[in-house]
């Protein structure tokens, strides 16, 4: 099993096209691409999602994602649950899976703890409503301005956002996990950057990296 991981997709799966992600030519459905939050592929909860989801399902690999704070949770909850590699998932398509929060998965001999989501009240640049007629324009504009959309562990968020950081119960919870648990790496998205924040903490956005 080969494992890759990337950051927020927000329903834009162009990075998985063969010309962008050429490694897929040797992959099979046993290989997994992990999306670290804000998947956005189940946005409307109807046929408008089909093109993106069907595209992912047609890829030679399996896509598995954790939910971010920009998701349609009502639509996600309508998909059936199943067990997959030791943890609970929602089956969006046969090879497109949502990894439920607080689960532990065994993937290729590696243990993964998944915890998606974020508090929406930390969006100091405004809450985005998916049904708003200007949603796409507003999202693109905020993103271009470097707007802060999401949260991570408190200390990392403080490093990334400085005075703009507003810790809350969730960031403190993630901070406690990081201090109490032994782990090799903490992969997370949300801040729309690609960088190693600390030795074990890897922030991803559009980059796709292979886990060795």
């Amino acid at each position: 099993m080969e494992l890759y991981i990337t950051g927020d997709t927000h329903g834009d799966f162009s990075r998985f096209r063969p010309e962008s992600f050429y490694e897929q030519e040797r992959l099979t459905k046993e290989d997994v691409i992990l999306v670290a939050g804000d998947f956005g592929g189940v946005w409307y909860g109807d046929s408008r999602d089909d093109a993106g989801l069907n595209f992912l399902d047609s890829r030679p690999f399996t896509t598995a994602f954790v939910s971010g704070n920009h998701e349609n949770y009502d639509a996600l909850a309508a998909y059936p649950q199943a067990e997959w590699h030791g943890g609970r998932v929602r089956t969006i398509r046969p090879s497109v899976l949502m990894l439920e929060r607080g689960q532990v998965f065994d993937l290729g001999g590696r243990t993964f703890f998944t915890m998606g989501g974020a508090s929406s009240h930390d969006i100091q640049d405004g809450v985005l409503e998916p049904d708003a007629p200007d949603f796409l324009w507003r999202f693109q504009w905020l993103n271009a301005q470097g707007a802060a959309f999401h949260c991570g562990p408190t200390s990392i968020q403080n490093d990334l956002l400085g005075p703009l950081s507003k810790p809350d119960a969730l960031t403190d919870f993630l901070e406690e996990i990081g201090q109490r648990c032994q782990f090799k790496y903490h992969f997370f998205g949300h801040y729309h950057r690609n960088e190693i924040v600390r030795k074990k903490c890897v922030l991803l956005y559009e980059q796709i990296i292979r886990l060795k």
Side-chain angles (χ1 to χ4, degrees):
M1 174 187 285
E2 289 196 22
L3 296 173
Y4 292 80
I5 188 167
T6 188
D8 310 26
T9 52
H10 293 287
D12 177 4
F13 306 124
S14 56
R15 75 187 68 170
F16 301 127
R17 292 173 180 165
E19 61 269 26
S20 299
F21 180 47
Y22 61 86
E23 292 92 339
Q24 66 185 281
E25 65 183 21
R26 68 170 187 268
L27 301 182
T28 72
K29 291 297 185 182
E30 295 299 314
D31 303 310
V32 180
I33 310 295
L34 300 166
V35 179
D38 276 1
F39 173 69
V42 181
W43 194 251
Y44 301 100
D46 57 32
S47 60
R48 288 174 289 181
D49 296 328
D50 287 348
L53 295 174
N54 292 341
F55 166 75
L56 285 180
D57 200 39
S58 73
R59 299 297 85 209
F61 51 83
T62 292
T63 302
F65 66 94
V66 294
S67 57
N69 66 327
H70 292 141
E71 311 281 6
N72 186 333
Y73 282 97
D74 290 336
L76 287 170
Y79 286 92
Q81 283 193 328
E83 185 171 332
W84 183 76
H85 288 279
R88 302 294 294 174
V89 300
R90 298 263 178 190
T91 305
I92 312 301
R93 290 291 189 277
S95 61
V96 181
L97 308 172
M98 185 186 82
L99 308 179
E100 293 280 25
R101 298 181 187 180
Q103 299 292 298
V104 177
F105 297 90
D106 182 353
L107 301 176
R110 302 176 180 90
T111 300
F112 289 82
F113 171 71
T114 57
M115 181 55 67
S119 299
S120 292
H121 67 266
D122 69 344
I123 308 174
Q124 69 265 16
D125 296 293
V127 176
L128 293 175
E129 297 293 344
D131 294 331
D134 64 344
F135 166 78
L136 183 59
W137 175 88
R138 181 167 172 75
F139 170 77
Q140 292 173 338
W141 183 86
L142 286 169
N143 193 39
Q145 303 304 311
F149 291 100
H150 315 80
C151 72
T154 297
S155 62
I156 291 178
Q157 178 172 281
N158 291 342
D159 289 347
L160 291 169
L161 302 183
L164 295 178
S165 178
K166 297 180 180 179
D168 58 21
L170 181 56
T171 66
D172 290 343
F173 168 72
L174 295 172
E175 182 73 23
E176 182 179 358
I177 289 178
Q179 292 178 359
R180 296 179 60 182
C181 296
Q182 294 183 351
F183 61 95
K184 289 186 176 180
Y185 294 103
H186 177 185
F187 296 100
F188 60 104
H190 308 318
Y191 296 94
H192 295 184
R193 285 151 63 178
N194 299 294
E195 65 178 274
I196 299 175
V197 183
R198 296 179 184 171
K199 185 176 181 180
K200 292 184 176 182
C201 299
V202 183
L203 169 59
L204 293 171
Y205 182 28
E206 295 174 324
Q207 185 179 8
I208 303 174
I209 64 173
R210 181 185 177 189
L211 303 184
K212 297 181 180 180

